[in-house]
Amino acid sequence: MDTTHETAAPAEAEVDESRLRWWERRTEWPMVALSVLFLGLYAWMVLDTGLSPRAHARIDGVMWAVWAAFAVDYAVRLALARRRLRFVLRNIFDLLVLVLPLLRQLRVLRLVVVLLTLNRRVQARVRGQVVLYVTGAVVLLGTSAALAVLEVERTAPDAEITTFGDALWWTMTTVTTVGYGDYYPVTGQGKLIAAGLMVAGIALLGVVTGSIASWFVDRFGGLEQSMSASADATRRLDAESDQLRAEIVALREEITALRKEITSR
Amino acid sequence: MDTTHETAAPAEAEVDESRLRWWERRTEWPMVALSVLFLGLYAWMVLDTGLSPRAHARIDGVMWAVWAAFAVDYAVRLALARRRLRFVLRNIFDLLVLVLPLLRQLRVLRLVVVLLTLNRRVQARVRGQVVLYVTGAVVLLGTSAALAVLEVERTAPDAEITTFGDALWWTMTTVTTVGYGDYYPVTGQGKLIAAGLMVAGIALLGVVTGSIASWFVDRFGGLEQSMSASADATRRLDAESDQLRAEIVALREEITALRKEITSR
Amino acid sequence: MDTTHETAAPAEAEVDESRLRWWERRTEWPMVALSVLFLGLYAWMVLDTGLSPRAHARIDGVMWAVWAAFAVDYAVRLALARRRLRFVLRNIFDLLVLVLPLLRQLRVLRLVVVLLTLNRRVQARVRGQVVLYVTGAVVLLGTSAALAVLEVERTAPDAEITTFGDALWWTMTTVTTVGYGDYYPVTGQGKLIAAGLMVAGIALLGVVTGSIASWFVDRFGGLEQSMSASADATRRLDAESDQLRAEIVALREEITALRKEITSR
Amino acid sequence: MDTTHETAAPAEAEVDESRLRWWERRTEWPMVALSVLFLGLYAWMVLDTGLSPRAHARIDGVMWAVWAAFAVDYAVRLALARRRLRFVLRNIFDLLVLVLPLLRQLRVLRLVVVLLTLNRRVQARVRGQVVLYVTGAVVLLGTSAALAVLEVERTAPDAEITTFGDALWWTMTTVTTVGYGDYYPVTGQGKLIAAGLMVAGIALLGVVTGSIASWFVDRFGGLEQSMSASADATRRLDAESDQLRAEIVALREEITALRKEITSR
């Protein structure tokens, strides 16, 4: 969530990071393709309950390969950056979600790497189309969260979320902050995913409200009226200034004529 | 939820769709009447538990007839539109809610067709009366959702929502995102309705908050003060400009007098 | 919730309702005193579980007398109003909460009459002190709701809210829209109170958010900057206009001098 | 939450409270250090379940000493203040959280004293970095609340929150207002902490929404456009005024030339 408040950034950004930018532009589409591949494989693995353990292991292997590609991308970007410390600090979240999945308990965070990449790409494309972007982001995030929670929960002994339908329903009650409590995650990883969804839910509320509030402020604000009153006064003033100038020009001509008369006498 | 951000639309809308507009104007009131009829019949069918299966089937028949009228209206509008592909894309949601009720599991979506039609009509009428519109929309949507969830839930074996009172209470806890979890839908269709209500609840929060925020911004904003300071300065400048002009006029008269004197000598 | 959007009202209000206003000013303090008395008696009746049925009946009698005083006030205001139909329509909510408590099931609505009166009085006093007003309103509303829900719930067979502590805790979880569901009302009247609290919770969220949003817009907005830039330009222009005028005055003096010279020759 | 609406304050603050300010500047860092120490000891005491009763008592003793230091600081500030009554009224919340922990049931409020002190210090430092500040505040508040609720709940007979993981999960569901109800406090002190968290959750929603709304208003507002139109007009006017002045100067020179000519004749 980038806000205008971080005014310090643009000033600092003048350091030459053109090599980094070049790499980021070149790898943009391949990374998006890898992300979509990863999501597809993940959905397959979770939803196809008839998979043999071997097929399961193979899909998981490909997913780890995609994850490795993201790790390589991060390493190259770090190598290309001129100010490495700043790069690490600014992308501390990327580093965390890259390293943490190595812990068996946090394997599900690989999804976050993928979603972050997709989000960056999409954000750059849909400037201004807020409604479209938010809808898309919520649908993608919700589906991923439902898949992830289903994967980590269904094998737990006292799990409540055991089908994809349950998982989707639970996602919906969580992201809207309704929270009936008819379904909730019972495993550590499941609760981690839920925490992420809750934060997303708060941000969603913020975006929806902010968008509507901005529309209201624009449409009904008394500001607009006093604004246009001021603009009118300025415009009138502008017109008057033109007349003033015309009169001064006339004045000048008269003085010139006067001078001629005096000289000619 | 139409926002000012979609600035591309007005520019494009200059294509001549007068035939379409004419049809829409003519069918406006009949469609509203059909919508109200549908809602009335639906309420009757759900709330009157003493209905014989035959009476039930008859009411359902009339409701399918109303649905058919909406389908015909869509078809005519499509036929009248000059840019058909654009019409379909723009009204993709209308098409979806028209076709999906044909699936037995999604029959309840016929209500959405009706509510969408009522909403369009009302939105055009109550420009500016936001509080009235939101209250009306929430009451209508809530009652419809309560009826719908009651219809689909009460026959389920482990249903919790079995009376209209339960359904209204559940609607209230959902749309405000409180979500106690003392009642919740257990059927697929019921969960679909709940999902719709949750989205409505988030939008409701957004509208209420946005409306209040806009009022605050207008009323307490330091902006207003610096605005009116600027407007004052402009006004003062305007007055001064008038004096300036008067002085230039006086100057001119003096020069004319000077000239006369010179000539007369 | 009064918003600036209802711009039609001030224009219409010019009809002479001075008799009505006079009565409202005179009865303001007595009505507030009656309201406070009612709330005190109500709290006593609900919290003192050792009351004999006779004492209980007596307190209830006094409370009905207060309610009657409010009804008389409404009748007098209606009699004094010049445009009676408009008065009824504008105060339709007052009429409803006055008449509905006559139904045994809706006796608890007497509290709403009292809270509405207090709210009107306080709102007129604390213009601008939004934080204070909201805090006060939430505390008063929450305490009243806790008392009311305790009264109507504790005698129900399967009630969960049976102590004042339970009732306060339930109020808190409801008004913040958290809604754990560890306590919830089971009676019709209790659910009615809950519905009112939920609406208040949404409004509370709106006011808190709106207030903070307005503060953000004021403080961090790029608007402010472009505003003050514009104000600066206007101010500079103002100063320049003064110089211009001084120069024109100087010009005039020079012409006068010139004239004298010509005449004196 | 200090808002710009309380415009009366800056005017009043001109009373000389320099002694008080001097003390506050000098004790700032020591108080922050004491706060961090307190939080560390508290976390140790709560999380290390293997502590002997004696070690437990010792840690508690140090924590009471820290609390005493805060009480002394309050007393000194009160002694240094010129307007004592105003100081007490303005810091009524500080006084409350200092005195209330003396009641055995409200011991947990010592944490609030510490968090308030940290908050004041941090707020002064991170002006403008809203995202950073909010994230930090939520993490600190959430962790403290989880520790506190764990301490007061785990010894209750029917407690549900018995591990730090449970406590963190419960904190998350509460502060986001999701409220599943799978875990909730059952003791009085636990419910007090929960109430504080709920209020914080509402404020969090407000800050997130307000921040996003302000960004939207800045970015998409029609205001900005009419603003810059007005600014353009002012700038054009400014330029024209310069030309005007140049022309008047030229006029003046011409008159001077004219005069010379007349005199020289």
Side-chain angles (χ1 to χ4, degrees):
Chain A
M1 200 78 31
D2 192 47
T3 67
T4 50
H5 310 151
E6 301 168 20
T7 45
E12 251 188 297
E14 285 167 32
V15 185
D16 185 31
E17 292 285 20
S18 56
R19 287 185 314 177
L20 183 56
R21 300 285 158 266
W22 174 85
W23 172 263
E24 285 175 354
R25 263 199 313 279
R26 290 300 294 263
T27 55
E28 210 167 33
W29 283 111
M31 298 313 273
V32 169
L34 280 178
S35 302
V36 172
L37 172 69
F38 185 95
L39 288 178
L41 287 174
Y42 189 64
W44 181 17
M45 195 180 81
V46 174
L47 295 181
D48 186 352
T49 48
L51 274 182
S52 69
R54 215 174 131 197
H56 199 285
R58 253 185 222 164
I59 296 177
D60 203 42
V62 179
M63 280 160 66
W64 276 112
V66 172
W67 175 84
F70 279 97
V72 167
D73 174 64
Y74 182 86
V76 172
R77 279 158 67 210
L78 179 57
L80 290 177
R82 288 205 189 273
R83 297 192 169 186
R84 274 177 206 160
L85 186 65
R86 210 176 110 225
F87 180 86
V88 171
L89 287 176
R90 289 236 166 151
N91 297 283
I92 194 76
F93 195 63
D94 291 44
L95 185 60
L96 274 176
V97 292
L98 260 179
V99 172
L100 288 176
L102 290 174
L103 294 171
R104 202 177 155 62
Q105 290 302 316
L106 298 170
R107 221 183 37 184
V108 85
L109 283 180
R110 286 180 304 173
L111 255 180
V112 177
V113 187
V114 167
L115 289 175
L116 276 182
T117 306
L118 273 181
N119 180 45
R120 237 170 251 156
R121 177 75 191 140
V122 168
Q123 219 171 17
R125 288 276 141 182
V126 295
R127 294 209 175 283
Q129 292 169 289
V130 179
V131 175
L132 196 82
Y133 169 67
V134 171
T135 312
V138 170
V139 169
L140 188 64
L141 185 74
T143 315
S144 303
L147 286 170
V149 98
L150 180 61
E151 189 201 5
V152 301
E153 286 284 310
R154 68 177 159 201
T155 53
D158 53 349
E160 306 197 312
I161 303 169
T162 51
T163 70
F164 190 51
D166 291 352
L168 275 179
W169 169 246
W170 166 81
T171 301
M172 195 76 201
T173 62
T174 299
V175 87
T176 57
T177 80
V178 168
Y180 289 126
D182 51 347
Y183 294 97
Y184 44 83
V186 294
T187 65
Q189 284 196 77
K191 286 179 177 175
L192 200 79
I193 297 163
L197 256 190
M198 287 172 201
V199 171
I202 289 225
L204 169 66
L205 271 173
V207 170
V208 170
T209 307
S211 170
I212 296 173
S214 122
W215 182 80
F216 269 109
V217 169
D218 275 15
R219 208 179 135 128
F220 299 108
L223 268 180
E224 194 105 19
Q225 287 155 30
S226 79
M227 263 309 317
S228 64
S230 168
D232 281 3
T234 312
R235 224 167 294 126
R236 223 170 31 245
L237 201 55
D238 211 7
E240 240 160 87
S241 157
D242 284 353
Q243 292 187 324
L244 221 72
R245 202 160 148 201
E247 269 174 86
I248 289 185
V249 168
L251 203 63
R252 207 171 176 179
E253 281 166 8
E254 232 161 309
I255 292 185
T256 315
L258 185 65
R259 190 187 218 171
K260 271 199 192 130
E261 229 165 304
I262 294 179
T263 351
S264 68
R265 248 198 301 157
Chain B
M1 198 80 27
D2 193 48
T3 67
T4 51
H5 310 152
E6 302 167 19
T7 44
E12 249 188 299
E14 284 165 34
V15 184
D16 185 30
E17 293 286 18
S18 55
R19 287 184 316 176
L20 182 56
R21 300 284 159 266
W22 174 85
W23 172 263
E24 285 175 353
R25 263 199 313 281
R26 291 300 294 263
T27 55
E28 210 168 33
W29 283 113
M31 297 314 273
V32 169
L34 280 177
S35 302
V36 172
L37 172 70
F38 185 96
L39 287 178
L41 288 173
Y42 189 63
W44 181 17
M45 195 180 81
V46 175
L47 296 181
D48 186 351
T49 48
L51 273 183
S52 68
R54 214 173 131 196
H56 199 285
R58 254 184 222 165
I59 295 177
D60 204 44
V62 180
M63 280 161 65
W64 276 113
V66 173
W67 174 85
F70 279 96
V72 167
D73 174 66
Y74 182 86
V76 173
R77 279 159 66 211
L78 178 57
L80 290 177
R82 289 207 188 273
R83 297 193 171 187
R84 286 198 190 138
L85 187 65
R86 210 175 110 225
F87 180 85
V88 171
L89 288 176
R90 289 233 167 156
N91 298 283
I92 194 76
F93 195 62
D94 292 43
L95 186 59
L96 274 177
V97 292
L98 260 180
V99 172
L100 288 176
L102 290 175
L103 295 171
R104 201 175 158 63
Q105 290 302 317
L106 297 170
R107 220 183 39 183
V108 85
L109 283 179
R110 287 180 304 172
L111 256 180
V112 177
V113 186
V114 167
L115 289 175
L116 276 182
T117 305
L118 273 181
N119 180 45
R120 235 170 254 156
R121 176 75 189 139
V122 168
Q123 221 172 17
R125 289 274 142 182
V126 295
R127 293 209 174 284
Q129 293 169 288
V130 179
V131 175
L132 195 84
Y133 169 68
V134 171
T135 312
V138 170
V139 169
L140 189 63
L141 186 75
T143 314
S144 304
L147 285 170
V149 97
L150 180 59
E151 190 201 4
V152 301
E153 286 285 309
R154 69 177 157 200
T155 54
D158 53 349
E160 306 197 313
I161 302 170
T162 51
T163 70
F164 189 52
D166 291 352
L168 276 180
W169 169 247
W170 166 81
T171 300
M172 194 76 202
T173 61
T174 299
V175 87
T176 57
T177 79
V178 169
Y180 289 126
D182 51 347
Y183 293 97
Y184 44 82
V186 294
T187 64
Q189 284 196 75
K191 286 180 177 174
L192 199 79
I193 297 163
L197 257 190
M198 287 172 199
V199 171
I202 288 224
L204 169 66
L205 271 172
V207 169
V208 170
T209 307
S211 170
I212 296 173
S214 121
W215 183 80
F216 269 110
V217 169
D218 276 14
R219 210 180 134 128
F220 299 108
L223 267 180
E224 195 104 19
Q225 288 155 30
S226 79
M227 262 312 315
S228 63
S230 167
D232 282 3
T234 312
R235 226 168 291 125
R236 226 172 28 248
L237 201 56
D238 210 6
E240 240 160 86
S241 156
D242 284 353
Q243 291 188 324
L244 220 74
R245 203 160 149 198
E247 268 175 87
I248 289 185
V249 168
L251 204 63
R252 206 170 179 178
E253 280 166 10
E254 234 161 309
I255 292 184
T256 315
L258 186 65
R259 189 185 220 172
K260 270 198 191 134
E261 231 165 305
I262 294 179
T263 351
S264 67
R265 248 201 298 162
Chain C
M1 198 78 29
D2 192 48
T3 67
T4 50
H5 311 152
E6 304 167 18
T7 44
E12 250 187 297
E14 285 165 34
V15 185
D16 184 30
E17 292 285 19
S18 56
R19 288 184 314 175
L20 182 57
R21 299 285 158 264
W22 174 84
W23 171 264
E24 285 175 354
R25 263 199 313 279
R26 291 298 294 263
T27 54
E28 209 168 34
W29 283 113
M31 298 313 274
V32 168
L34 280 177
S35 303
V36 173
L37 172 70
F38 185 95
L39 288 178
L41 287 173
Y42 189 64
W44 181 17
M45 195 181 80
V46 175
L47 295 181
D48 186 351
T49 49
L51 274 181
S52 68
R54 217 175 129 197
H56 199 285
R58 256 185 221 163
I59 295 177
D60 203 44
V62 180
M63 281 162 63
W64 277 112
V66 173
W67 174 84
F70 279 97
V72 168
D73 174 65
Y74 181 86
V76 173
R77 280 159 64 212
L78 178 57
L80 291 177
R82 288 204 190 275
R83 296 191 170 188
R84 285 197 189 138
L85 187 66
R86 211 177 108 223
F87 179 86
V88 172
L89 287 176
R90 289 233 166 155
N91 297 283
I92 194 75
F93 195 62
D94 291 44
L95 185 60
L96 275 177
V97 292
L98 261 178
V99 171
L100 288 177
L102 290 174
L103 295 171
R104 205 178 153 62
Q105 289 302 317
L106 297 171
R107 223 183 37 183
V108 85
L109 283 179
R110 286 179 305 172
L111 256 180
V112 177
V113 186
V114 167
L115 289 175
L116 277 181
T117 306
L118 274 181
N119 180 46
R120 236 169 252 158
R121 177 75 190 139
V122 168
Q123 220 171 17
R125 288 274 141 183
V126 296
R127 294 208 173 284
Q129 293 170 286
V130 179
V131 176
L132 196 84
Y133 169 68
V134 171
T135 311
V138 169
V139 169
L140 188 64
L141 186 74
T143 316
S144 303
L147 285 169
V149 98
L150 180 60
E151 191 202 4
V152 301
E153 286 285 310
R154 70 178 157 200
T155 53
D158 53 349
E160 306 196 313
I161 302 170
T162 51
T163 71
F164 189 51
D166 292 351
L168 275 179
W169 169 246
W170 166 80
T171 301
M172 195 76 202
T173 61
T174 300
V175 88
T176 57
T177 79
V178 169
Y180 289 125
D182 51 346
Y183 294 98
Y184 45 82
V186 294
T187 65
Q189 284 197 75
K191 286 179 179 176
L192 201 77
I193 297 163
L197 258 189
M198 288 171 199
V199 170
I202 288 225
L204 169 66
L205 271 172
V207 170
V208 170
T209 306
S211 171
I212 296 173
S214 122
W215 182 80
F216 269 111
V217 169
D218 276 14
R219 211 183 132 127
F220 298 108
L223 267 180
E224 194 104 19
Q225 287 156 28
S226 79
M227 261 312 315
S228 64
S230 167
D232 281 2
T234 312
R235 225 167 293 124
R236 223 170 33 246
L237 200 56
D238 211 6
E240 238 160 90
S241 157
D242 284 352
Q243 291 188 324
L244 220 75
R245 203 160 148 201
E247 268 174 89
I248 290 186
V249 168
L251 203 64
R252 208 170 176 178
E253 280 166 11
E254 232 161 309
I255 292 184
T256 315
L258 186 66
R259 191 186 217 172
K260 269 198 196 135
E261 230 167 305
I262 294 179
T263 349
S264 67
R265 252 203 295 161
Chain D
M1 200 75 33
D2 193 49
T3 65
T4 51
H5 311 151
E6 302 167 19
T7 44
E12 250 187 297
E14 285 166 33
V15 185
D16 184 30
E17 292 285 20
S18 56
R19 289 185 313 173
L20 183 58
R21 299 285 159 264
W22 173 83
W23 172 264
E24 285 175 353
R25 264 198 312 277
R26 291 298 295 262
T27 55
E28 210 168 32
W29 282 113
M31 299 312 275
V32 169
L34 280 177
S35 302
V36 173
L37 173 69
F38 185 96
L39 288 178
L41 287 174
Y42 189 64
W44 182 15
M45 195 180 80
V46 175
L47 295 181
D48 186 351
T49 49
L51 274 182
S52 70
R54 215 175 130 196
H56 199 284
R58 256 187 222 163
I59 295 177
D60 204 42
V62 180
M63 281 161 66
W64 277 112
V66 173
W67 174 83
F70 279 98
V72 168
D73 173 66
Y74 182 86
V76 173
R77 280 159 64 210
L78 178 57
L80 290 177
R82 287 202 191 276
R83 296 193 170 186
R84 277 181 202 155
L85 187 66
R86 211 178 107 222
F87 180 86
V88 171
L89 287 176
R90 288 232 168 157
N91 298 282
I92 194 75
F93 195 63
D94 291 44
L95 185 60
L96 273 177
V97 292
L98 260 179
V99 172
L100 287 176
L102 291 175
L103 295 171
R104 205 179 152 61
Q105 291 301 317
L106 297 171
R107 222 184 36 184
V108 85
L109 283 179
R110 287 180 304 173
L111 255 179
V112 178
V113 187
V114 168
L115 289 174
L116 277 182
T117 306
L118 275 180
N119 180 46
R120 238 169 251 157
R121 177 75 190 137
V122 169
Q123 219 171 18
R125 288 275 142 181
V126 295
R127 294 208 174 284
Q129 293 169 287
V130 179
V131 176
L132 195 82
Y133 170 68
V134 170
T135 311
V138 169
V139 169
L140 188 64
L141 185 75
T143 315
S144 304
L147 285 170
V149 98
L150 179 60
E151 190 201 5
V152 301
E153 286 284 311
R154 68 177 157 200
T155 54
D158 52 348
E160 306 197 313
I161 302 169
T162 51
T163 71
F164 189 52
D166 291 352
L168 275 179
W169 169 247
W170 166 81
T171 302
M172 195 76 202
T173 61
T174 301
V175 88
T176 55
T177 79
V178 169
Y180 290 126
D182 51 348
Y183 294 98
Y184 45 82
V186 294
T187 65
Q189 284 196 77
K191 286 179 177 174
L192 201 77
I193 297 162
L197 257 189
M198 288 172 199
V199 171
I202 289 225
L204 169 66
L205 271 173
V207 170
V208 170
T209 306
S211 170
I212 296 173
S214 122
W215 182 81
F216 269 110
V217 169
D218 275 15
R219 208 178 135 131
F220 299 108
L223 268 179
E224 195 103 21
Q225 287 155 29
S226 78
M227 261 310 316
S228 64
S230 168
D232 281 3
T234 312
R235 224 168 294 126
R236 222 169 34 244
L237 200 55
D238 212 6
E240 239 160 88
S241 157
D242 284 352
Q243 292 188 323
L244 219 73
R245 205 161 146 199
E247 267 175 89
I248 289 185
V249 168
L251 202 63
R252 210 171 175 177
E253 281 167 9
E254 231 161 311
I255 292 184
T256 315
L258 185 64
R259 190 185 219 170
K260 270 200 195 133
E261 227 165 307
I262 293 179
T263 349
S264 68
R265 252 204 295 163

